[in-house]
Amino acid sequence: MKKAALHNLGCKVNSYETDAMREMLINDGYEIVPFHEKADVYVINTCSVTNIADHKSRQMIHRAKSENPNAVIIAAGCYAQSGYETLRSDGSADIIIGNNNKDRLIELLHKFLADGREEEAISDISKSGVPFENLKVKSPIEHTRAFMKVQDGCDQFCSYCIIPYARGRIRSRAAVDVVREAEVLSGQGIREIVLTGIHLDSYGRGTGESLIDLIEAVAEVPGIRRIRLGSIEPRIITDNFLSRLSLVDKFCPHFHLSLQSGSASVLKRMNRKYTPDEYIAGVRKIRNIYDDPAITTDVIVGFPGETEDEFSETLDFAGKVGFSEMHIFKFSRRRGTRADLMTPQITEKVKAERSSKLIALSHEMTENYLNRRIGKKVSVLLEEMTEADGEKAWTGYTKEYSRVLIFTDRNLKNAIVNGYVGSVMNGALVLDTRQGIEVQ
């Protein structure tokens, strides 16, 4: 049997696309094997968010070639789109597939196998009106949760970001198509859907639909018990959005609100489309609707020109918001962006020092958030058996995406369990089984 191996770099949207390509290869008669094994076809779904991501993408392409020099090497995705000329001159990839062409994977593979000539599919996605890429996933690798790509492209042009050039303009997937896929996934036993996109807030722009319309539609699918959102920005948090969202019982109150900086002057240089005041106003609106929801975020430290005072503003702002978790990134220069040319660039030593301070604050806030759960009743979607402190335990996540452990011998795979939190262990909530648990 023919063998294929895939490797994914980058975001959850990339993960969805990799799953879709995996299914295409299975349907074409391929056995999927781990990437480190010898295969007939290697697919690398590349990332281009930083120069380091570009390097890793090239590295994985070369690694695939070394695993089997006779294999067909396919480079797909963001770096294939933005670094097309470099890949072409490098000659290590036999097939190069840019964004919005991954649905042609099998067609291009068959053409290459027929004539042995390099194949390329790079479209101009820089203009509006580009159709949404027709990808679908029927059998995701995870057994309880499935990511669904519903939006692609970005028109924000943040000064540090290459993604609008790699992903193109905003485009959305028809709600009816999303619902059909959710129905298929529900039939496969999936209980939680995570709606993802490059700029999820813009879903439906130009089509007459909106993100809240989509959430309400997916909530009607029988068998789907939870709906979660990928990263969103504060300007979507309006009174109308929240009032409708609060009526969707299946919605998980975990808001990953992108911040990047708590300094108004840094946000302006980043070309972000909100201020710290607008951000915290959105957080307050969320907390007025939901009881202690999870508010998580991303922060970039060491953006060009970031002064000690500006960093202190970010540190103070983060403490004021009280996140349940922060993801901290040191600024990485990206060729082709305005930020790459900005001065002064911050030294790696200063970036590391600032990053350490924010990471310490994040750990403190996460610990506080988890400790507030002790004694409270939570709902947990269980996923798999694991080991903690030398004992077997079921693990899963609350609606707020806090990890949970349940020490029990009962078979709870794919179950939704309600119970009371007794303690916190190694960053996870532990249910107190002595108080009893309800299994749904």
Side-chain angles (χ1 to χ4, degrees):
M1 191 178 196
K2 301 174 294 183
K3 295 181 179 181
L6 300 95
H7 183 79
N8 182 71
L9 295 113
C11 62
K12 296 299 183 185
V13 171
N14 267 26
S15 296
Y16 175 88
E17 294 167 346
T18 300
D19 282 349
M21 289 189 285
R22 179 182 291 106
E23 287 193 11
M24 291 180 211
L25 288 163
I26 291 172
N27 293 336
D28 199 51
Y30 284 85
E31 175 191 353
I32 305 301
V33 298
F35 196 79
H36 62 268
E37 292 188 10
K38 187 174 182 179
D40 302 292
V41 175
Y42 291 90
V43 179
I44 301 91
N45 198 15
T46 62
C47 178
S48 192
V49 71
T50 64
N51 290 336
I52 294 171
D54 283 0
H55 174 72
K56 287 182 177 178
S57 296
R58 291 191 298 270
Q59 192 176 50
M60 294 311 298
I61 292 165
H62 292 149
R63 178 178 162 186
K65 199 69 174 177
S66 66
E67 290 285 350
N68 182 5
N70 296 317
V72 181
I73 310 299
I74 302 174
C78 289
Y79 181 61
Q81 182 80 30
S82 64
Y84 161 69
E85 295 294 345
T86 303
L87 271 180
R88 189 181 186 186
S89 60
D90 178 73
S92 53
D94 300 302
I95 301 172
I96 303 173
I97 307 175
N99 285 319
N100 240 49
N101 280 297
K102 297 178 209 71
D103 54 348
R104 297 181 57 197
L105 171 70
I106 301 303
E107 169 204 337
L108 294 165
L109 175 58
H110 286 182
K111 285 179 68 176
F112 176 82
L113 292 173
D115 58 31
R117 291 188 303 219
E118 289 184 2
E119 296 291 339
E120 301 167 354
I122 306 293
S123 301
D124 181 1
I125 52 175
S126 65
K127 299 178 177 63
S128 59
V130 175
F132 191 84
E133 189 173 33
N134 184 29
L135 295 176
K136 290 181 175 60
V137 175
K138 294 182 179 179
S139 300
I141 292 178
E142 293 192 53
H143 300 297
T144 57
R145 180 185 303 109
F147 292 89
M148 288 181 61
K149 173 186 164 185
V150 301
Q151 183 277 332
D152 207 344
C154 184
D155 292 350
Q156 298 298 293
F157 291 95
C158 298
S159 61
Y160 54 84
C161 187
I162 199 71
I163 295 304
Y165 305 97
R167 283 278 176 180
R169 301 292 74 77
I170 286 171
R171 49 203 184 275
S172 299
R173 187 176 180 183
V176 65
D177 192 38
V178 175
V179 169
R180 284 196 201 102
E181 184 169 332
E183 290 170 345
V184 171
L185 292 170
S186 176
Q188 296 289 324
I190 293 297
R191 308 192 84 178
E192 179 176 306
I193 296 289
V194 185
L195 302 176
T196 65
I198 299 300
H199 190 252
L200 194 55
D201 307 41
S202 65
Y203 173 83
R205 187 182 300 173
T207 68
E209 298 172 317
S210 68
L211 184 58
I212 187 60
D213 294 332
L214 182 66
I215 294 168
E216 291 170 342
V218 175
E220 295 297 321
V221 176
I224 298 301
R225 301 293 297 277
R226 290 182 170 187
I227 300 169
R228 197 180 297 279
L229 296 180
S231 179
I232 55 176
E233 294 189 2
R235 287 198 168 181
I236 199 172
I237 305 301
T238 64
D239 292 333
N240 178 63
F241 180 81
L242 286 175
S243 65
R244 290 174 63 180
L245 195 62
S246 66
L247 300 176
V248 181
D249 292 337
K250 295 180 181 180
F251 177 74
C252 296
H254 168 212
F255 296 84
H256 189 79
L257 277 181
S258 182
L259 174 63
Q260 308 307 353
S261 176
S263 165
S265 50
V266 173
L267 287 175
K268 188 174 183 179
R269 294 202 299 277
M270 288 179 167
N271 197 33
R272 301 294 287 177
K273 305 299 192 296
Y274 51 83
T275 66
D277 287 344
E278 289 173 326
Y279 188 100
I280 204 161
V283 170
R284 287 170 179 154
K285 286 180 178 181
I286 292 170
R287 287 176 172 156
N288 283 337
I289 297 291
Y290 294 98
D291 179 23
D292 208 6
I295 309 288
T296 60
T297 200
D298 302 317
V299 179
I300 296 173
V301 297
F303 189 78
E306 183 184 62
T307 65
E308 282 297 332
D309 285 345
E310 287 173 330
F311 173 69
S312 294
E313 288 174 354
T314 294
L315 199 62
D316 293 344
F317 185 79
K320 183 179 178 182
V321 172
F323 294 103
S324 54
E325 187 179 14
M326 293 191 296
H327 303 288
I328 313 302
F329 301 93
K330 290 180 280 189
F331 172 75
S332 176
R333 297 178 73 164
R334 184 63 178 84
R335 286 186 297 274
T337 65
R338 282 179 288 153
D340 181 46
L341 305 176
M342 290 180 178
T343 56
Q345 295 285 331
I346 309 302
T347 66
E348 291 304 314
K349 180 183 177 182
V350 171
K351 289 179 191 176
E353 290 170 351
R354 293 175 181 176
S355 176
S356 295
K357 290 179 182 178
L358 273 172
I359 289 171
L361 176 61
S362 178
H363 288 165
E364 179 185 335
M365 290 190 294
T366 298
E367 185 178 356
N368 290 339
Y369 185 78
L370 293 176
N371 285 333
R372 291 202 300 271
R373 310 264 78 69
I374 295 176
K376 293 188 175 181
K377 194 173 186 178
V378 296
S379 177
V380 188
L381 174 56
L382 294 174
E383 298 182 356
E384 61 183 357
M385 181 69 79
T386 186
E387 192 171 288
D389 266 12
E391 294 184 57
K392 288 185 177 180
W394 284 98
T395 184
Y397 290 86
T398 67
K399 280 192 167 187
E400 295 80 16
Y401 208 63
S402 295
R403 186 166 174 259
V404 176
L405 296 171
I406 303 180
F407 292 92
T408 178
D409 293 329
R410 296 172 62 180
N411 184 2
L412 298 175
K413 187 175 180 61
N414 213 13
I416 293 179
V417 172
N418 299 322
Y420 290 90
V421 177
S423 61
V424 176
M425 176 191 293
N426 300 325
L429 304 175
V430 181
L431 286 200
D432 185 356
T433 54
R434 294 170 302 177
Q435 296 191 56
I437 57 175
E438 304 169 4
V439 182
Q440 297 180 358

